[in-house]
Amino acid sequence: MTPAADPAEPKPLRADARRNRARVLEAAESVFAAKGTGAPTEEVARAAGVGIGTVFRHFPTKEALLEAVLVARLHRFADEAEAVVAADSADPGGAFFTFLAGWIEMSSAKNAYFEALTAAGVSVPHAKSDIGARLLRALGVLLSRAQAAGAVREDLVPGELITIIIGVAKAAEYAGPDARLRDRAVTILFDGLRPQGSAGERR
């Protein structure tokens, strides 16, 4: 597969061009979230209020646009994760489980983008490197704090947790629009991560 050009490092743009690019990315994320990654680029242009030529000046192919949206979302989530770590919540368990729920949701969305890009022969190695390392660091800190507070079982390590996140993200994809089924899968996961007896004590 051929690596795509890195959309995270575009050439310097004029202020109006930067605004147009940001509008296209924002519109694309909204359109793809609502209608899937197969939604046409023309619909993104309409949602952004720009012409299709403007979209293609910034993103020469549909795949370049998909990759840019994916990387932007992952960067934003990594920023949010580091902000959660820096906040050092007085409720480490709550901070950990909220972060985990966000990661599961992000993983489900990320899978759809990866599948679309892979089908087109595009690889996105950088989306798994620096961003992944930042997320793993944040996860490790939040997990340690939650364990120290007695909110998460002590025998859990980050590597095991990543495997679980991937599995539950796939389960969320399988549930599709069934929000109750998705929420139930996440609830079961969270109960399994808590120290023995804590889930039963809440009911």
Side-chain angles (χ1 to χ4, degrees):
M1 293 188 297
T2 57
D6 187 352
E9 298 180 358
K11 294 179 181 179
L13 299 172
R14 300 191 313 271
D16 58 337
R18 287 197 302 272
R19 286 193 295 271
N20 281 339
R21 187 179 191 277
R23 286 168 63 188
V24 170
L25 276 177
E26 183 178 356
E29 183 170 345
S30 177
V31 169
F32 294 149
K35 300 190 175 182
T37 56
T41 310
E42 290 79 5
E43 189 161 346
V44 172
R46 285 195 297 271
V50 300
I52 190 65
T54 298
V55 175
F56 285 124
R57 273 197 296 275
H58 292 288
F59 309 100
T61 65
K62 169 76 173 292
E63 291 72 33
L65 178 58
L66 284 168
E67 185 182 6
V69 173
L70 169 63
V71 173
R73 289 192 65 170
L74 290 173
H75 270 297
R76 188 168 66 243
F77 186 64
D79 290 343
E80 292 169 357
E82 290 167 349
V84 172
V85 170
D88 196 5
S89 171
D91 178 13
F96 170 77
F97 285 115
T98 298
F99 172 66
L100 205 58
W103 193 329
I104 291 168
E105 181 180 353
M106 170 58 71
S107 294
S108 297
K110 182 189 73 175
N111 290 343
Y113 285 93
F114 267 108
E115 287 169 6
L117 289 165
T118 299
V122 177
S123 62
V124 281
H126 56 270
K128 288 186 174 181
S129 56
D130 61 320
I131 301 172
R134 292 170 63 194
L135 289 173
L136 279 174
R137 285 194 295 271
L139 178 65
V141 172
L142 295 175
L143 174 60
S144 296
R145 290 174 181 172
Q147 288 172 322
V152 175
R153 51 192 298 168
E154 295 180 355
D155 60 342
L156 186 66
V157 298
E160 295 171 333
L161 193 51
I162 293 298
T163 301
I164 294 170
I165 289 172
I166 292 171
V168 176
K170 284 293 184 182
E173 289 180 63
Y174 176 80
D178 190 339
R180 181 181 176 281
L181 184 56
R182 292 198 308 273
D183 292 345
R184 177 66 175 160
V186 173
T187 296
I188 292 170
L189 163 65
F190 285 3
D191 282 350
L193 299 182
R194 293 185 172 94
Q196 288 187 353
S198 60
E201 290 168 3
R202 294 195 313 278
R203 290 192 283 268

